[in-house]
Structures are given as C-alpha cells and as structure tokens.
Amino acid sequence: MKKVLLFVLSFVVLDISNALALPRFALKKGDITCGGCHANPTGGGLRSEGGESFSVNQLPMWKRGETFTGHIASGITLGADWRSQFLYFTQKQPASSGIGDTTLTTNTFHAMSYAIELGVQATKTLYGYLRYDPITPNPEAYAMLHIVHPSGELIEATDAVNDVYVKFGAFLPAFGIRFDDHTIYSKGGNASISGFGSAGLFWGYGYRDVGAEAGIYLFDHLSVNVGLYNGNEGGSFQNFATANTNKALCARANLAGELIEDVLSGEIGGSFYSHQLTDGTGANAPSLSLFAIHGGLRAGPISVLAEFDNGKNVNTNNGLTYFPKATAMVFEGTVSITKGLDGLLRFETYENKDISDNVQTQVKSRITVGAQWFPLRFLEVRPEFRTATVEIPNSSNATLRDQLTQTTFLTQIHLFF
C-alpha cells in the first residue's frame, strides 16, 4: 500500500493536470473564494463576468474573438450544465462455490446532467439562484445577501474583512473540496453499477440540504463557512423535516494564498459535519459525524489536490445504510499539456466497517488516468480510464472475502454556459 501511494505521488509530481475541477482555478491564484468566477463564493453554479471571460478567452484551445454573456435582461442571467457520457464497465468477481469467476459487464450511454440555471442579481449584494435538472428531483434554490461587500452597498469591505454573506435555501453545504466528479469516493462514489453495495460518502450528485449558511473571508487568505440544515444525508430530500427535528451542523475553514506570484500557491483546510439522528418514532440514534482535512499545491502547470475523510455512523450514497466507521482518501494531480488540454491522474481509497469493527467494503485502490479537452468555448470532452481493486465479504461464507477487479472506460461530453 505504501509503495503504491509513493509511486502515485511521485507520478503526480512529475507529470499531471490542470482541469475543469472548480477548486483548481481558485488554487491557481491562491484564492480563498470561488467568487472570482462564480456568483456563489463556495463554487458551482452560474459564472460571474470574470468566469465568463475566463471560459471564452483563456480556457478553450481554439479561441474566437466573439464575446459572450448569459445575461438575458438587466440583472437576469440564464445558464446550462449539460453532461452525457458513454460508459464501459467490467467487474471480475471470484465465485466461492467453485463454479468459476463471475464477470459483470455494462456498456451504456448515460445522461448525467441536463440542468437549466437562472440567476437574479437584484442589487449589488442581493442575489437569487435557481437550478433545475430533470435527472434529479432535488432542486437547488437560494437567496444570498452580502452584508460586507466591495461595493459598500451595506458595509464596505476592508483589507481585513473582505466579504461576509448569509445564504438561505436548498443547496450543497460547504464541505471538503468541491470536486466536479461526484463519483469520487469522498463525494458519492459509483457503486450503483458495481452490484456489491455502496462505496462512497453521501455527497452524491444532486445532493441538496435545506438550511442557512454564513461565510466570512478575511485578509484575502482565510475563509470560514458555517451552516445549519435539516440534515439530508439519509438521501430523502427534506423540504420540511418532521421525523427528525435535530439540525445538522456543517463547518469549513480554509487558508490559501500565493507563495510565489504566478508560480507557486497552496491551500490547507478542514471540514466538519455533524447530525444527531432519530428514527421515525423519534428515538435517539447514534450521532453522525464526519471530519475532513484537505489541501492543494500548485507549482507552474502542475496542481495537486488531496482530501482525507473520516466519519462514524456515516450514510452511504444510497441513503439506506449507515456504517459505524468510514474513511475515504483522494489524491488528484493535473498538468497543463497545452492550451485547452489537460491531463489527470487520481488515486483513491475507501473503507467502511460494521459495529464490530469488521471491514465490509474496502476499495484498496482506484486509479484514474484521463484528459480534459476544451476545443471550443463552453465545450469539454473528457475521456477517462479507471482500474480498481475492491474487497468485500463473501455472501455465502462470512469467513471469506472476495477480491473484485473493476475496469472502467468513459467518454464524457460537457456543454456549459
């Protein structure tokens, strides 16, 4: 295990990528906020004027001189996030009955996201956002007010206090690194096609929680985000929580900055999520808690992001099972090959345990090699190859464990504006 990790890390340092994953754009300049490209300071959603300019002028391989804006009226912006992919998946599983190996094979076109987005900039500091995607039943909609802001509409920002906001509605809490790939095990995993049960945390695609969040950005380098929510980690979107009146708490702190201008930048942070669970009768259940440490380093064209999550009584991404212990780890490295073309290498592990501390699902390693190509503005083509080694309990003999070998090839087409 240590040798594999050292090999992966050494490869990351030597030859990796800078892709569309939202956190890397902020890391490149050592920013503590994603507000340079997005209306939402914690990332995702519609782009600001700076984000539109970056998408048109700096991101694509073949740049065109035309300008673009999603503004359809004064203060109103329309956008889209459309993703589809072709997926080929194989899983080889030894059969303990002696009848030979069992191989699962799937190849399919997959509709990932067909979201329409609407943003309303009512004033310089008051913003509303709506995202609707027919693939997921959970909408994202919130109102956000900047109490401290460079515009000075309410309170003018200073060198010490750069921004203070409050946000209300249904949205993704600020936790960990906001990777744009929801199949990473620190997000939601991809066990739906594997047939062995869930592997991955509960931050799957379309995850939304209803609540309030506040954020403060200090000295251009330090950010703190704190939110109080109904608690949606069980997988059932609770617009109005009745069975569980205990609220979930989520907090994230991050320190970031440029160490050498335009050459070296980094960030380090931590996140925490806690929710006292109850069943349908109101009886107390174990408390869910999840901790994460995360960070990144960018040197020239090379960027590395890493996150380690450790939790107890954690839901899996299907919301049906709680595991007394669960851990996830991801290292993702990228390198800019040429304008509009990036390469990617990712290494992941995942493990969950039952109440007796016995390992249930263990992803010993999953290695992803891929590329992200932006031939034209607002168009991304992403081919990836993944190989994973997984160990699970044998279904017929509790003393045995089955070793699974998984191989995945996918090509994703992403249109965004």
Side-chain angles (χ1 to χ4, degrees):
M1 174 63 182
K2 291 183 178 179
K3 291 182 179 180
V4 172
L5 182 56
L6 288 173
F7 169 78
V8 172
L9 287 175
S10 63
F11 188 82
V12 166
V13 172
L14 290 174
D15 189 26
I16 322 186
S17 90
N18 177 24
L20 185 62
L22 299 173
R24 278 193 286 277
F25 290 142
L27 175 64
K28 187 174 183 180
K29 288 294 184 180
D31 293 339
I32 57 169
T33 173
C34 297
C37 284
H38 293 271
N40 184 2
T42 58
L46 289 171
R47 280 154 291 281
S48 61
E49 291 184 2
E52 289 180 347
S53 176
F54 179 81
S55 298
V56 171
N57 298 313
Q58 300 182 45
L59 189 60
M61 177 175 288
W62 291 296
K63 175 185 172 183
R64 296 295 181 264
E66 306 89 23
T67 60
F68 174 87
T69 178
H71 302 304
I72 59 176
S74 179
I76 301 177
T77 304
L78 185 67
D81 182 19
W82 300 334
R83 297 173 187 255
S84 295
Q85 70 180 19
F86 175 76
L87 174 74
Y88 179 81
F89 174 83
T90 64
Q91 175 177 281
K92 188 174 183 181
Q93 176 178 352
S96 61
S97 60
I99 60 175
D101 294 338
T102 299
T103 301
L104 168 68
T105 302
T106 298
N107 63 87
T108 182
F109 288 97
H110 179 205
M112 300 181 66
S113 170
Y114 294 124
I116 298 294
E117 301 171 298
L118 178 67
V120 179
Q121 193 73 55
T123 72
K124 291 181 180 179
T125 58
L126 182 60
Y127 177 75
Y129 175 77
L130 172 66
R131 175 188 172 102
Y132 173 73
D133 189 343
I135 294 178
T136 174
N138 300 340
E140 182 174 7
Y142 60 81
M144 180 171 58
L145 175 66
H146 293 269
I147 300 171
V148 176
H149 190 263
S151 68
E153 189 170 59
L154 292 179
I155 301 175
E156 189 171 359
T158 66
D159 291 339
V161 182
N162 314 130
D163 187 16
V164 176
Y165 74 87
V166 290
K167 183 163 59 174
F168 300 89
F171 50 89
L172 176 66
F175 184 96
I177 297 177
R178 191 161 181 164
F179 292 104
D180 70 335
D181 185 348
H182 67 88
T183 66
I184 293 175
Y185 292 121
S186 64
K187 305 303 290 183
N190 67 341
S192 60
I193 61 173
S194 65
F196 67 80
S198 292
L201 302 180
F202 51 84
W203 313 104
Y205 175 69
Y207 184 94
R208 307 286 182 260
D209 211 340
V210 179
E213 179 182 282
I216 183 170
Y217 296 84
L218 304 170
F219 306 105
D220 291 325
H221 295 297
L222 176 64
S223 66
V224 179
N225 309 90
V226 179
L228 193 65
Y229 308 92
N230 281 342
N232 187 37
E233 69 285 337
S236 177
F237 184 71
Q238 299 190 63
N239 181 45
F240 182 69
T242 56
N244 189 353
T245 59
N246 297 323
K247 296 297 181 283
L249 173 66
C250 185
R252 182 181 190 271
N254 202 53
L255 180 67
E258 279 191 301
L259 305 176
I260 302 176
E261 187 175 358
D262 294 329
V263 175
L264 184 66
S265 57
E267 66 174 65
I268 187 168
S271 298
F272 171 70
Y273 182 91
S274 178
H275 192 195
Q276 179 65 48
L277 307 172
T278 58
D279 61 21
T281 64
N284 285 333
S287 177
L288 184 156
S289 63
L290 181 64
F291 297 86
I293 56 173
H294 38 82
L297 185 66
R298 174 252 177 175
I302 299 172
S303 299
V304 179
L305 292 169
E307 179 174 336
F308 175 76
D309 299 78
N310 184 31
K312 66 176 185 177
N313 304 313
V314 175
N315 298 71
T316 57
N317 63 357
N318 65 4
L320 301 178
T321 306
Y322 290 81
F323 288 101
K325 293 183 180 180
T327 59
M329 181 179 68
V330 55
F331 287 89
E332 182 177 278
T334 56
V335 66
S336 178
I337 299 171
T338 187
K339 181 177 172 62
L341 179 62
D342 308 316
L344 177 146
L345 178 67
R346 183 188 305 134
F347 175 79
E348 300 175 77
T349 65
Y350 173 82
E351 181 180 273
N352 55 45
K353 297 182 179 181
D354 62 20
I355 195 170
S356 300
D357 208 35
N358 296 317
V359 175
Q360 296 301 295
T361 297
Q362 182 182 32
V363 182
K364 295 183 175 181
S365 69
R366 181 169 69 174
I367 297 175
T368 300
V369 180
Q372 290 177 302
W373 179 37
F374 304 93
L376 302 172
R377 59 181 185 178
F378 309 125
L379 175 63
E380 174 196 6
V381 180
R382 182 186 299 192
E384 288 186 358
F385 173 80
R386 302 177 180 180
T387 179
T389 302
V390 182
E391 187 175 281
I392 60 173
N394 183 271
S395 58
S396 59
N397 188 337
T399 64
L400 299 178
R401 295 182 63 80
D402 290 336
Q403 302 284 338
L404 313 181
T405 302
Q406 298 176 344
T407 302
T408 307
F409 174 78
L410 63 89
T411 300
Q412 182 183 136
I413 305 298
H414 181 204
L415 176 66
F416 58 98
F417 65 86

